[in-house]
Amino acid sequence: NAGVTQTPKFQVLKTGQSMTLQCAQDMNHNSMYWYRQDPGMGLRLIYYSASEGTTDKGEVPNGYNVSRLNKREFSLRLESAAPSQTSVYFCASSEPTENTEAFFGQGTRLTVV
Amino acid sequence: ILNVEQSPQSLHVQEGDSTNFTCSFPSSNFYALHWYRWETAKSPEALFVMTLNGDEKKKGRISATLNTKEGYSYLYIKGSQPEDSATYLCAFKLGYKLSFGAGTTVTVRA
């Protein structure tokens, strides 16, 4: 049972390059999330998707776009990477009910030089 | 932006001592409050999901309480062990949105 799978695990980009972070879950969850983790700041919500076909901005959406491709997959795209986007990115999924936890992928460490 | 705040940011505990720390969140429109444990180089894992005012949850030596009317939750670690060293995150769920605090990093000294 894979749970939440993120690819790639590591990536180095040059400023201005674009890339897409992939996330897939096999738990049949409706809701999916993208977070970034920076030292001393916990997890900050970038975008979330309540269900297939819907996406909403989180707390720090600028510079990112997302696609909820189907129920399993939720991708995060950086169109023109900036050094400020150097971070560890986590994808998570859950059911939208109030009493269910979120499950996290293993993270993607992105460095923009 | 949902204001989820945790304090202290970090704390050091002697092995065998007990400790606790706080998560505060908006008291209006409460939906759920989560606690996660996050070890270095791993992914966050859920400890508790709390939905009712007055909820108390326990898992081994770790427990949590919830006060939705005043907007706070406490996490307690009894008899801390080195394996309890981790960052503890709380998260406030409002509808579909799950927003995290910055975490409390606990270091247990042997």
Side-chain angles (χ1 to χ4, degrees):
Chain A
N1 190 355
V4 180
T5 303
Q6 291 181 232
T7 55
K9 291 184 181 178
F10 302 94
Q11 183 72 49
V12 179
L13 289 179
K14 293 182 179 179
T15 297
Q17 286 186 316
S18 62
M19 81 160 293
T20 299
L21 280 63
Q22 307 286 354
C23 175
Q25 52 94 7
D26 62 3
M27 294 173 282
N28 204 36
H29 286 163
N30 283 292
S31 298
M32 297 186 73
Y33 309 85
W34 275 107
Y35 296 90
R36 59 177 289 172
Q37 182 246 330
D38 302 294
M41 303 186 80
L43 294 171
R44 291 187 292 169
L45 182 62
I46 305 171
Y47 272 92
Y48 64 103
S49 170
S51 61
E52 183 180 353
T54 68
T55 61
D56 285 285
K57 294 179 180 179
E59 296 141 15
V60 289
N62 291 344
Y64 305 95
N65 285 300
V66 290
S67 296
R68 183 73 183 267
L69 305 168
N70 47 55
K71 192 172 185 178
R72 289 187 67 247
E73 298 172 289
F74 188 38
S75 62
L76 178 72
R77 183 160 178 84
L78 287 71
E79 290 291 351
S80 178
S84 61
Q85 294 177 305
T86 293
S87 188
V88 181
Y89 292 85
F90 284 94
C91 175
S93 72
S94 77
E95 282 302 327
T97 52
E98 69 274 12
N99 60 348
T100 52
E101 67 203 77
F103 294 84
F104 286 82
Q106 74 273 38
T108 296
R109 184 173 293 276
L110 175 67
T111 303
V112 183
V113 297
Chain B
I1 293 179
L2 294 173
N3 220 17
V4 183
E5 303 204 355
Q6 293 187 246
S7 63
Q9 185 175 9
S10 64
L11 58 91
H12 291 79
V13 186
Q14 199 67 32
E15 182 176 358
D17 286 351
S18 297
T19 189
N20 65 84
F21 37 93
T22 309
C23 171
S24 63
F25 51 86
S27 57
S28 58
N29 296 323
F30 180 81
Y31 197 62
L33 193 284
H34 298 198
W35 281 101
Y36 291 80
R37 173 190 165 88
W38 192 6
E39 294 181 70
T40 304
K42 294 187 178 180
S43 302
E45 292 186 350
L47 284 170
F48 306 115
V49 176
M50 308 173 81
T51 58
L52 298 174
N53 184 44
D55 252 356
E56 294 188 17
K57 301 269 187 177
K58 187 175 181 182
K59 184 179 288 189
R61 292 178 292 96
I62 300 177
S63 60
T65 60
L66 178 67
N67 183 323
T68 62
K69 296 188 188 306
E70 297 183 38
Y72 64 85
S73 176
Y74 291 125
L75 192 86
Y76 300 88
I77 304 176
K78 184 178 179 181
S80 303
Q81 299 297 309
E83 59 264 30
D84 296 327
S85 296
T87 295
Y88 294 83
L89 297 167
C90 71
F92 181 73
K93 192 166 189 180
L94 183 63
Y96 300 108
K97 192 173 181 181
L98 185 64
S99 296
F100 284 80
T104 294
T105 299
V106 175
T107 304
V108 181
R109 296 179 288 214

